[in-house]
Amino acid sequence: LTTDKHVDVKKITYFDPPMHHEGIYRTSRVGEAPMEKQGAYGKLKTHSESKLSQIARLDEVFGAVWFTKVRPMPGHVDVTMFGEELKDDVQYCDDVLGKVSRSFAMVIRQLPRELVLDILIFYIVLRALDTVEDDTTAFTRPGEKIMYLNAFHETA
């Protein structure tokens, strides 16, 4: 932003969410099964239709096979766009994108060459922030998560 014309910087209202929105602050249980999940994770059924019902949608099955096996859509990620010295870093980001996103990975890779790397990296950063925000077991006290989120730009 280049202006604060529409923002009252002297009077900022902070929203203090109730404790159940901030997650559960306990000793980290990394490597153990999660005790509770925040938000809708685990509460919403993700697939209400049977595999047979999904396969019966022939137009969707045809499209999936066509665009993944017969005529894959080439992505616009040029790993040398930022120079040879960053080639491995760009390749790593593209690999991570494929691991953290199934639906957005193909769409992001189809963006124009001028946008694809910016959006790809931005998406990965937002996924990392979302992971920190959603983690309900890694932080032992309420202010700790906020401290990490506020310092994210310095440590990421």
Side-chain angles (χ1 to χ4, degrees):
L1 293 174
T2 58
T3 179
D4 59 2
K5 177 179 171 185
H6 304 288
V7 178
D8 183 356
V9 295
K10 293 184 170 95
K11 183 177 159 190
I12 297 175
T13 305
Y14 289 94
F15 168 69
D16 291 325
M19 194 63 178
H20 65 275
H21 284 270
E22 293 180 359
I24 308 214
Y25 299 96
R26 297 186 182 133
T27 306
S28 176
R29 294 172 43 93
V30 175
E32 298 177 33
M35 293 175 62
E36 296 184 38
K37 294 186 177 184
Q38 182 176 346
Y41 294 120
K43 296 178 184 174
L44 298 177
K45 193 171 183 182
T46 55
H47 294 285
S48 60
E49 298 183 39
S50 69
K51 297 283 184 199
L52 180 61
S53 172
Q54 293 175 34
I55 292 173
R57 297 174 187 220
L58 297 179
D59 57 336
E60 293 179 17
V61 172
F62 177 80
V65 170
W66 182 263
F67 288 117
T68 58
K69 304 295 181 196
V70 178
R71 185 178 264 169
M73 298 174 71
H76 295 146
V77 177
D78 177 8
V79 295
T80 61
M81 184 178 207
F82 294 133
E84 284 295 322
E85 63 276 359
L86 294 177
K87 179 180 174 182
D88 291 339
D89 295 333
V90 173
Q91 184 63 54
Y92 173 78
C93 289
D94 189 39
D95 293 344
V96 167
L97 176 69
K99 293 176 183 175
V100 301
S101 170
R102 293 172 301 281
S103 56
F104 286 121
M106 188 186 320
V107 174
I108 290 172
R109 290 173 177 144
Q110 298 307 307
L111 291 170
R113 294 186 195 287
E114 301 81 26
L115 284 176
V116 67
L117 286 177
D118 295 332
I119 300 300
L120 186 153
I121 292 167
F122 188 64
Y123 179 81
I124 292 171
V125 169
L126 290 179
R127 284 296 303 258
L129 282 170
D130 188 52
T131 299
V132 172
E133 173 59 29
D134 290 346
D135 194 323
T136 61
T137 60
F139 304 101
T140 56
R141 55 186 199 279
E144 189 176 11
K145 181 187 285 190
I146 293 168
M147 178 189 72
Y148 280 105
L149 289 171
N150 285 334
F152 186 82
H153 69 284
E154 297 169 356
T155 58

